Amino acid sequence: MPTAPWSSGAAYVDGRYMPIAEAAIPITDWGYRRSDVTYDVVSVWGGAFFRLDDHMRRFRASMRALRLEPAESEEQIRQVLHECVRRAGLREAYVAMDCLRGAPKPGVARHPINCRNYIVAFATPFVWVMSPEMQERGAHLIIAKTPRIADDSVDPKVKNFHWGDLTRGLFEAHDRGADNCVLLDRDGFVTEGPGFNVFAVTDGAVATSDRGALEGITRLSVGELCGDLGMPFAVRPLSAAELRDADEIFLATTAGGIMPASRIDGRILGNDRPGPVSARLRERFWAKRAEGWHATPIDYAASAELQ
């Protein structure tokens, strides 16, 4: 069992492990000052990572897109994630991996090519974007007035900290008495919400946006589940009108799985509870995870070589 300093979580910062409360990065680094960073988040449930290979693939693609090259190999990063969970002793965990750009050394041009890149990772108790209780009654959503940052400015397929638009949307939701929000692009098509993909169910068919959104790992799982259950599934343009008129709406993210909604812009969906398709997918998602679907077990007795 972890001792008190580790029980809240464990971190790895630039080659060194520490309790989460001791983790810090230099405030002069560009990862902090310019949001010059990419990240990914993988969950641990029942002592096993879920879809770790898919998260590592996406993390590496994001680093390539931002021209970030840390010293750690992919295998070493995997080892770091395992070690953070092991040190914290967590069976259900939220596990983040970041790659940050540092600051240029004195005397060289202040250009990103002159900045060292490094890895930060941490494991904390599992985080819910929406609580299980909220999921049981269905999330209350709004479509925010704030548009999503254009994808030709910030590529949404690269996980990033540019959350200015999403944060404004969250305040809009709060001010309107809703739980969360969905953002549109400037052409009026659905993109995503703060940390989740958005799905509409119409006549038993499931659709999710093909633009302005992260290619979610849980979204990938939704597509697989729909195939297993014989439900039509499509990644395509999804208008605001189609979302508002949908039979059901649900959300999907690593930090919460499949999360049904019951209201959108004040409109009550069905009987103001999660719809049958959303509920079935959510139940099947967690059941398959309990069966070891896409699982990478953690050896809690092992110890990493990196220190």
Side-chain angles (χ1 to χ4, degrees):
M1 295 295 292
T3 57
W6 296 92
S7 60
S8 296
Y12 169 92
V13 180
D14 200 11
R16 189 167 64 89
Y17 292 101
M18 63 203 71
I20 189 75
E22 298 176 13
I25 62 171
I27 61 173
T28 55
D29 280 3
W30 286 13
Y32 168 72
R33 303 212 64 79
R34 299 186 177 182
S35 292
D36 197 351
V37 54
T38 189
Y39 74 107
D40 219 287
V41 175
V42 59
S43 66
V44 169
W45 200 261
F49 287 105
F50 180 61
R51 306 197 79 131
L52 180 58
D53 290 347
D54 293 307
H55 283 282
M56 292 302 305
R57 170 187 50 77
R58 189 173 66 181
F59 187 45
R60 182 60 64 181
S62 294
M63 287 191 287
R64 282 197 299 266
L66 297 184
R67 299 175 70 168
L68 291 163
E69 298 180 8
E72 293 87 347
S73 67
E74 181 171 317
E75 183 55 36
Q76 286 175 316
I77 295 172
R78 288 172 183 267
Q79 180 178 308
V80 164
L81 301 183
H82 277 266
E83 182 67 2
C84 285
V85 177
R86 189 196 69 80
R87 292 196 180 208
L90 296 167
R91 302 287 298 177
E92 283 76 42
Y94 174 99
V95 186
M97 53 190 122
D98 305 349
C99 186
L100 298 88
R101 210 179 311 274
K105 293 181 179 180
V108 301
R110 291 184 62 79
H111 188 283
I113 202 169
N114 293 322
C115 299
R116 189 176 65 89
N117 312 149
Y118 63 96
I119 293 291
V120 169
F122 64 87
T124 63
F126 189 78
V127 173
W128 295 93
V129 167
M130 295 183 184
S131 70
E133 294 76 19
M134 188 181 295
Q135 294 182 40
E136 288 295 330
R137 61 109 157 126
H140 298 171
L141 305 174
I142 64 161
I143 294 179
K145 294 180 181 178
T146 303
R148 189 75 172 101
I149 295 174
D151 56 11
D152 52 358
S153 294
V154 176
D155 185 353
K157 294 188 293 297
V158 175
K159 282 183 76 73
N160 61 79
F161 289 171
H162 297 282
W163 266 53
D165 51 352
L166 299 172
T167 299
R168 285 181 61 184
L170 282 168
F171 276 111
E172 286 187 50
H174 177 269
D175 293 344
R176 291 168 58 181
D179 300 319
N180 219 308
C181 62
V182 175
L183 270 63
L184 308 178
D185 65 15
R186 292 194 177 276
D187 295 321
F189 288 96
V190 172
T191 61
E192 60 186 351
F196 52 79
N197 291 114
V198 182
F199 301 77
V201 182
T202 304
D203 296 329
V206 179
T208 190
S209 174
D210 65 347
R211 61 197 62 201
L214 183 70
E215 293 179 346
I217 304 302
T218 313
R219 185 183 82 169
L220 178 64
S221 300
V222 169
E224 291 179 5
L225 291 172
C226 286
D228 291 345
L229 297 171
M231 298 177 181
F233 174 77
V235 180
R236 59 170 175 77
L238 184 63
S239 70
E242 182 178 355
L243 186 68
R244 288 191 179 102
D245 293 339
D247 299 329
E248 301 178 36
I249 297 170
F250 65 89
L251 319 169
T253 180
T254 292
I258 294 172
M259 309 179 298
S262 58
R263 299 184 185 185
I264 181 80
D265 282 347
R267 179 196 167 217
I268 294 175
L269 304 174
N271 61 354
D272 204 17
R273 304 291 291 181
V277 171
S278 304
R280 188 180 182 193
L281 287 169
R282 178 175 179 246
E283 179 181 5
R284 187 64 181 141
F285 175 80
W286 287 108
K288 283 179 71 71
R289 288 193 63 170
E291 296 166 0
W293 186 44
H294 292 301
T296 301
I298 295 162
D299 183 354
Y300 288 88
S303 183
E305 294 178 3
L306 281 174
Q307 298 296 330

